[in-house]
Amino acid sequence: MTTDEKQHVADLAKRHVAPRNILLSLQDKFPENVTRITQVYKHKSVIEKEIRGPRSEIQHLFKLIEDAGYVYWSRKKDDSEVVREIFWAHPDSVKLLNIFPIVLVMDSTYKTNKYRQPLFEIVGMTSTELTFAVGFAYMESEQTENFCWVLEKLKELFVKKDMCPQVILTDRDLALMKAIEVVFPNSINLLCRFHINKNVGAKCKQHVVNDLQKTIDTLWMEVVWASDEVEYGQRLHQLEQACVDYSGFINYVKDTWLTPHRHRFVGAWINRVLHLGNTTTNRVESAHWKLKQMLGNSIGDMVKCWEAMNNNLRLQLGNIRASFQKSFYEVENAHVSPFYGYLRGSVSRAALRRIAEELLRVDYVGTNRQICGCTLRTSYGLPCACELGRYRVGGIPIPIDAVHVHWRKLTMEVELEKGEDDGSEVDMTAAMDELWRRFRSLDVVGKRALRSRVCELAYPTMTTLCPPPEKIKTKGGVKKKGKKPADYDVYRDPSYHEYVDKASQSSQRQSQPSQTSKKIKLSKKQPQFIVQFPNHIRSYIEDVVNVESDGNCGFRVIASLHGYGEDGWSMVRRELGLELIDKDRSTLYDKLFSNRLSAVRESLMIESFGSQPPEKWMSLPDMGYLIANRYNVVLVCLGNPCITFFPMTSSHSPNVSIYCIGFVNQNHWVQVNMKEGFPLPPVTLDWKKFRSHIATTWMLGFAGRMQHWQLLTPVLA
């Protein structure tokens, strides 16, 4: 390669461009170039060696950390120079931690480095509900003593000595929970509802017959979501009655979860805690996913891992600063009312959205505290429905003091407040004087020893520390024999509940013929339809299936997805008409559709089986609610806008079918077959307003996939 070509490779390699794409770029820019991809790999290796120079891995890591201004600590194994733990935090992360210290979410992830050391990540939440990374720690193992060391370093990041997080959210890792109790005794340790519900569901599949699983799952969700201790006792009694023949399951639920930990995840207790809406560890799980996307593989050393974290943090901090500016200068249509006059520009848009949603409850809550429950006030620090009702009755705007200070912080460019005694903690004068006194009093050998120890602090890039010499065993699942995912080699082993789910699905596939094989033969991808869907979702589309365009296309797609075949569209129309007059949900639809109820009913009634006029076409969101409720499925619409419809009167089911449809050409519906685990778009405000209490579990169960959608669409989020 010529000098210009080598420089081009170096520039692209610095930006983490894949070698194959570097080669393509070389061929585009230098048409006469005949470089092979092996040469690209070799030149990348030469560049990395030149950058690192004679420094060891840990020396180079410390140089990068020092140059970037990170705060960091490390410790080594006894009687050796091998790194045992290392903890680091970005300077802006430290600032954000001290600005938003209320809630922290912690979790470990695996397979991020060639030494197989677990990575412990700590994240927080800004006033705009964005996640920020607080700190990272590579640990030798996941024992209480290791966690205590990391948490002690976390504690040192707080400027004020008496400051600590009010809420710490984790999984049920007993070693970590014990360490939190030791280091942060005044913090409330909540447990992830999502993982608890999944494990209880997995245990239910093992002990309970199929016919009762759904009922018991619903009863369990009602226990978890109980709003007070009286309701909790009633719901638990109902669950015990239903499980009278399944002592193994009810004993597991009570002994493992309810008796020791109910105050950490049951609504009756955690609704009194200022958790700001964080009841699962999805926030840190999402951070793990983004980091692994940046890493690309699990065979890098600690320098590669730090570079990926640093690049990820740069993007993260940019998004956070942009979200603060957005809250300052942009006003949503829902917040232009004088009622929000004191809050606009002073409170984050995320807080205003939550207040606007709560305002919808005022019409049927009024100013009654008992009906209201005041959960938004106690859990979010925002005015609840009864409080908003009193402001509305008094004809006064919402006062700024009614909003917790967390939601009113919209900048990182502030001087951190220091405690009264903090000045003495950072004064080195006395320590340096004592060090000089000791140095002068020692003999030559003693002076050499002391100088060596001081040099370790003064010149970290000259450290003698080295990384672990061999792969160590961790708590992460053992790698099974077999083929790992072809498209991504940074993956985790399934959790207990995922093994149970997979086994259950496998047995169902063996005992029942596939509905998909009966429905319709899949067509080839149709690009004229795919390009009409949002860019960020196209890579998740496997196939688009067209149907006849006769005014019944929407109902044809649902019939095909439900196993009736495309020609079963008339049956779908009839069943949705019956759903509309269902006695158990008639009140729901009266409130949901209001004066549009008769129009919705008329749109389902046809006079002939031929082509239908526009007023008989399937329209959303109205039909979306009916389809999700009638067939107890999750309906996803890809169009403008993209919407998810969950059932409104049932609880989350792990084996639910997901029907995906697409709106194209502004007048036609098609069937969209998606890859497993694709991101889900948001639900409508009406769904949140009129759904039953138990239906909230749908959003909990799919929180990760909905958050994934938000991550892919930062502008819309």
Side-chain angles (χ1 to χ4, degrees):
M1 288 188 287
T2 66
T3 303
D4 289 342
E5 290 169 346
K6 289 181 178 179
Q7 185 60 46
H8 188 62
V9 172
D11 292 341
L12 294 180
K14 185 178 179 181
R15 290 163 177 79
H16 304 279
V17 178
R20 61 180 180 275
N21 294 327
I22 293 177
L23 184 59
L24 290 172
S25 180
L26 271 176
Q27 293 171 354
D28 290 340
K29 189 169 182 178
F30 306 99
E32 302 300 322
N33 181 278
V34 291
T35 301
R36 300 187 307 276
I37 197 166
T38 52
Q39 291 175 274
V40 175
Y41 276 106
K42 287 179 180 178
H43 189 58
K44 278 190 65 180
S45 177
V46 169
I47 293 169
E48 291 172 358
K49 289 179 180 177
E50 288 177 351
I51 292 173
R52 182 172 295 190
R55 291 185 292 271
S56 68
E57 177 185 331
I58 300 299
Q59 288 174 349
H60 190 54
L61 173 65
F62 284 178
K63 181 181 186 303
L64 293 173
I65 290 176
E66 287 276 343
D67 291 346
Y70 275 63
V71 180
Y72 69 102
W73 293 270
S74 65
R75 64 172 178 169
K76 58 187 179 182
K77 293 183 180 180
D78 296 336
D79 302 323
S80 77
E81 295 298 319
V82 176
V83 170
R84 184 179 179 189
E85 272 95 27
I86 183 168
F87 176 95
W88 60 68
H90 191 280
D92 285 337
S93 296
V94 176
K95 187 177 290 187
L96 284 170
L97 172 65
N98 284 274
I99 296 172
F100 304 107
I102 295 176
V103 178
L104 296 181
V105 189
M106 306 176 179
D107 189 35
S108 295
T109 188
Y110 311 94
K111 299 180 181 177
T112 62
N113 61 93
K114 66 182 182 181
Y115 307 113
R116 293 185 61 191
Q117 281 199 320
L119 173 65
F120 186 63
E121 186 170 3
I122 305 165
V123 303
M125 187 186 83
T126 68
S127 58
T128 53
E129 292 191 345
L130 293 185
T131 301
F132 66 91
V134 175
F136 302 89
Y138 277 114
M139 303 191 301
E140 179 186 40
S141 62
E142 295 179 283
Q143 304 301 318
T144 300
E145 191 271 337
N146 304 91
F147 283 124
C148 281
W149 183 85
V150 173
L151 295 181
E152 286 289 354
K153 301 311 171 189
L154 170 66
K155 195 173 184 179
E156 293 188 38
L157 297 181
F158 289 103
V159 174
K160 291 184 177 180
K161 290 197 298 184
D162 59 346
M163 185 183 289
C164 69
Q166 294 185 32
V167 175
I168 298 177
L169 192 62
T170 67
D171 291 336
R172 194 182 72 99
D173 186 325
L174 299 180
L176 175 56
M177 292 169 67
K178 179 63 177 176
I180 291 172
E181 186 180 335
V182 172
V183 181
F184 295 110
N186 296 323
S187 298
I188 299 172
N189 183 193
L190 300 186
L191 297 182
C192 175
R193 272 181 171 178
F194 174 78
H195 288 98
I196 293 173
N197 291 337
K198 293 293 286 183
N199 282 307
V200 170
K203 187 65 70 171
C204 180
K205 288 179 181 179
Q206 286 188 322
H207 289 269
V208 180
V209 295
N210 291 339
D211 295 342
L212 280 177
Q213 285 178 9
K214 185 175 180 181
T215 300
I216 290 177
D217 180 60
T218 301
L219 291 173
W220 165 253
M221 288 298 182
E222 290 177 349
V223 170
V224 173
W225 286 88
S227 58
D228 55 51
E229 294 182 41
V230 174
E231 183 184 354
Y232 167 77
Q234 294 171 347
R235 300 301 187 190
L236 179 57
H237 180 71
Q238 292 174 357
L239 179 64
E240 290 173 333
Q241 292 297 312
C243 298
V244 66
D245 296 326
Y246 306 106
S247 58
F249 170 73
I250 195 64
N251 289 338
Y252 163 79
V253 166
K254 293 169 73 174
D255 295 343
T256 305
W257 299 111
L258 294 180
T259 301
H261 302 303
R262 61 177 177 268
H263 60 289
R264 303 182 191 272
F265 70 95
V266 175
W269 285 270
I270 71 169
N271 286 348
R272 309 169 192 165
V273 176
L274 187 65
H275 54 62
L276 305 177
N278 294 279
T279 58
T280 73
T281 56
N282 288 347
R283 192 172 289 277
V284 71
E285 298 279 0
S286 176
H288 293 337
W289 179 84
K290 290 169 68 177
L291 174 60
K292 289 184 176 182
Q293 288 286 85
M294 189 71 77
L295 279 170
N297 60 58
S298 60
I299 58 175
D301 58 15
M302 288 189 176
V303 172
K304 292 287 187 185
C305 295
W306 180 87
E307 289 175 341
M309 293 174 195
N310 189 55
N311 290 331
N312 209 30
L313 277 167
R314 289 168 59 193
L315 297 175
Q316 185 183 88
L317 292 167
N319 288 335
I320 290 172
R321 288 189 172 94
S323 72
F324 289 154
Q325 293 298 312
K326 212 169 185 179
S327 290
F328 267 127
Y329 300 116
E330 293 188 16
V331 179
E332 297 180 5
N333 290 333
H335 309 143
V336 297
S337 165
F339 195 53
Y340 300 97
Y342 295 150
L343 306 185
R344 287 192 298 270
S346 300
V347 171
S348 74
R349 301 202 316 167
L352 289 176
R353 289 191 201 106
R354 293 199 177 274
I355 294 172
E357 289 182 11
E358 187 73 0
L359 194 60
L360 299 175
R361 299 179 62 227
V362 171
D363 291 337
Y364 55 92
V365 169
T367 59
N368 191 312
R369 290 178 180 272
Q370 290 185 335
I371 298 177
C372 176
C374 302
T375 301
L376 198 69
R377 166 54 67 194
T378 56
S379 297
Y380 291 81
L382 296 172
C384 57
C386 66
E387 194 174 340
L388 294 172
R390 288 193 291 273
Y391 297 140
R392 177 183 282 183
V393 170
I396 59 173
I398 305 170
I400 189 71
D401 291 339
V403 177
H404 191 279
V405 67
H406 170 89
W407 305 103
R408 291 161 20 205
K409 297 176 179 178
L410 297 175
T411 181
M412 293 170 53
E413 315 308 322
V414 295
E415 283 292 329
L416 299 179
E417 298 180 7
K418 298 179 181 179
E420 296 178 359
D421 301 329
D422 292 338
S424 60
E425 288 190 347
V426 295
D427 185 1
M428 291 280 291
T429 306
M432 294 300 294
D433 289 344
E434 176 62 20
L435 195 61
W436 274 113
R437 189 194 65 77
R438 287 185 58 193
F439 183 79
R440 294 189 185 97
S441 65
L442 294 172
D443 57 19
V444 174
V445 176
K447 286 179 178 178
R448 287 175 181 170
L450 182 58
R451 181 180 180 279
S452 175
R453 291 164 60 189
V454 171
C455 285
E456 287 183 7
L457 297 175
Y459 308 106
T461 58
M462 303 299 291
T463 182
T464 57
L465 288 176
C466 59
E470 59 183 352
K471 294 181 178 180
I472 59 174
K473 294 183 179 180
T474 68
K475 190 181 70 175
V478 178
K479 191 173 180 179
K480 303 292 181 183
K481 289 185 178 180
K483 190 175 181 181
K484 59 186 177 183
D487 58 340
Y488 192 49
D489 66 346
V490 179
Y491 71 102
R492 61 178 179 79
D493 295 305
S495 300
Y496 163 71
H497 63 78
E498 292 172 295
Y499 280 115
V500 176
D501 287 347
K502 186 175 180 180
S504 174
Q505 292 168 4
S506 176
S507 64
Q508 289 177 6
R509 284 196 293 268
Q510 293 172 4
S511 61
Q512 299 178 0
S514 171
Q515 281 191 344
T516 306
S517 63
K518 288 184 177 181
K519 292 179 203 169
I520 188 169
K521 185 178 180 180
L522 297 182
S523 66
K524 295 181 179 179
K525 284 193 175 183
Q526 304 195 37
Q528 74 273 23
F529 292 149
I530 292 178
V531 295
Q532 299 184 49
F533 301 135
N535 289 332
H536 60 272
I537 200 66
R538 293 176 191 171
S539 62
Y540 294 90
I541 298 175
E542 287 190 336
D543 195 21
V544 177
V545 182
N546 200 3
V547 296
E548 185 179 345
S549 303
D550 62 350
N552 297 304
C553 55
F555 302 100
R556 287 179 179 275
V557 171
I558 299 303
S560 177
L561 287 165
H562 201 58
Y564 293 163
E566 184 181 328
D567 294 333
W569 60 267
S570 60
M571 194 180 307
V572 172
R573 278 189 181 271
R574 186 176 71 251
E575 290 178 345
L576 295 184
L578 294 173
E579 171 64 21
L580 200 57
I581 60 175
D582 185 279
K583 63 180 182 179
D584 294 331
R585 286 190 280 268
S586 59
T587 304
L588 166 65
Y589 295 132
D590 286 338
K591 294 179 180 178
L592 180 62
F593 298 131
S594 186
N595 57 355
R596 294 183 291 108
L597 184 61
S598 59
V600 175
R601 186 182 295 112
E602 287 293 325
S603 70
L604 291 168
M605 300 171 64
I606 57 175
E607 297 178 357
S608 65
F609 284 87
S611 297
Q612 304 300 325
E615 61 267 23
K616 302 293 184 181
W617 294 356
M618 188 177 87
S619 61
L620 296 185
D622 297 340
M623 292 300 158
Y625 301 122
L626 296 177
I627 293 167
N629 290 339
R630 180 66 182 182
Y631 302 118
N632 199 43
V633 298
V634 176
L635 178 68
V636 176
C637 169
L638 300 182
N640 188 16
C642 296
I643 309 172
T644 297
F645 297 91
F646 295 121
M648 302 178 75
T649 59
S650 65
S651 64
H652 172 258
S653 171
N655 297 321
V656 67
S657 297
I658 301 180
Y659 294 174
C660 188
I661 61 177
F663 191 64
V664 297
N665 300 338
Q666 298 184 344
N667 63 356
H668 185 56
W669 292 101
V670 293
Q671 175 181 336
V672 185
N673 298 311
M674 307 294 290
K675 295 179 181 178
E676 187 175 353
F678 69 96
L680 297 184
V683 298
T684 65
L685 283 177
D686 278 344
W687 186 89
K688 293 181 179 180
K689 179 178 178 182
F690 295 109
R691 53 100 180 112
S692 66
H693 182 70
I694 194 65
T696 310
T697 57
W698 287 105
M699 292 195 70
L700 177 66
F702 287 99
R705 292 170 68 171
M706 298 184 80
Q707 190 173 15
H708 188 183
W709 179 279
Q710 292 181 343
L711 293 172
L712 293 174
T713 55
V715 175
L716 297 179

